[in-house]
Amino acid sequence: MKTPGVNTASEKPRGRPRSFDRDKALLRALDIFWRKGFEPASVAELCEAMEINPPSLYSAFGNKAKLFMEAVSYYEKVYWKATWERLEEVENIHQAIDNFFSESADILLSPSAPCGCMVVLAAINVSQESADVVKAVSVLRQEGKDLFEKRLTRAVREKQLPADTNTAALATVLNTLLEGMSIEAKDGATLRSLKTTGQYATGLLPANK
């Protein structure tokens, strides 16, 4: 008979383990989401990877959708935030774009990160029943376009690009190239081939007349 308030040795502890490391748990969840995608990834697989039980997952993150969104946000902050910031810091637009895509190739094939961009790969074919995930990933994708457009608009203002440059369309093209590189990375592209692809980004910038 169980003594009230005392766990037997065979019982699993409730809640998160004392050694729970949220960042480590998010990284492990990222790996599952990257390999499986959002919907195919089961709570059981996520719990096994994070070394927690389902009640702990729900207690720490709310549900699978919220875990996914936090994991993607963590991925963006850890692996991409500094690269986007450097895009803004480099004065010459051609050098800024060239550096950005070279660094992107490094990130997309980094051994410490999921291979290929989480925003592109883990949320493909998410059903409308997961509306919160669809919306959150759409917002993140739009943020990439917005950051490209902001940098291109500055280049127009500084007369590094023609005054009639369609910055919104060009930002979409650059973002599409970045997403394509992510798929190439997932399909086994080498770092050299991915960097070569990225070098074409500056060729998309219109020349001053």
Side-chain angles (χ1 to χ4, degrees):
M1 183 182 222
K2 175 183 169 183
T3 303
V6 178
N7 285 329
T8 63
S10 62
E11 290 179 324
K12 293 182 179 179
R14 294 182 179 180
R16 298 192 299 275
R18 291 180 181 178
S19 60
F20 180 76
D21 184 321
R22 195 177 191 87
D23 287 351
K24 185 181 291 185
L26 288 171
L27 277 172
R28 290 175 174 175
L30 276 172
D31 181 64
I32 297 297
F33 283 130
W34 170 74
R35 288 191 287 109
K36 295 274 190 173
F38 168 70
E39 291 193 334
S42 70
V43 169
E45 289 170 316
L46 290 163
C47 287
E48 182 179 1
M50 292 188 291
E51 298 181 348
I52 58 176
N53 54 34
S56 298
L57 184 150
Y58 294 119
S59 173
F61 301 102
N63 56 36
K64 188 176 83 165
K66 290 179 180 178
L67 168 61
F68 175 79
M69 290 185 283
E70 185 173 338
V72 171
S73 179
Y74 176 82
Y75 169 80
E76 290 287 308
K77 178 181 69 176
V78 171
Y79 293 102
W80 288 96
K81 185 173 182 290
T83 298
W84 283 110
E85 288 174 348
R86 281 190 286 274
L87 176 67
E88 187 66 29
E89 292 167 359
V90 176
E91 294 296 324
N92 181 274
I93 186 60
H94 288 80
Q95 191 63 58
I97 293 294
D98 189 60
N99 289 356
F100 177 88
F101 278 90
S102 178
E103 288 184 33
S104 295
D106 290 327
I107 295 169
L108 292 171
L109 290 177
S110 170
S112 66
C115 184
C117 181
M118 286 290 296
V119 176
V120 176
L121 299 173
I124 290 176
N125 296 326
V126 176
S127 70
Q128 289 302 315
E129 291 158 357
S130 302
D132 289 346
V133 171
V134 173
K135 182 178 179 180
V137 173
S138 177
V139 167
L140 284 171
R141 288 175 176 163
Q142 185 60 47
E143 283 179 2
K145 294 178 189 177
D146 291 344
L147 289 169
F148 274 130
E149 185 175 5
K150 178 184 176 184
R151 184 63 186 87
L152 294 167
T153 300
R154 172 186 156 194
V156 170
R157 187 172 61 250
E158 294 175 350
K159 303 187 186 311
Q160 293 185 30
L161 294 176
D164 61 354
T165 300
N166 187 332
T167 55
L170 184 53
T172 297
V173 171
L174 291 172
N175 202 60
T176 300
L177 175 60
L178 180 61
E179 291 181 352
M181 287 173 61
S182 183
I183 294 171
E184 286 293 305
K186 178 71 181 291
D187 285 346
T190 65
L191 182 60
R192 181 178 179 181
S193 68
L194 210 59
K195 282 184 177 285
T196 298
T197 299
Q199 287 173 356
Y200 283 90
T202 54
L204 298 168
L205 303 179
N208 271 320
K209 301 173 183 176

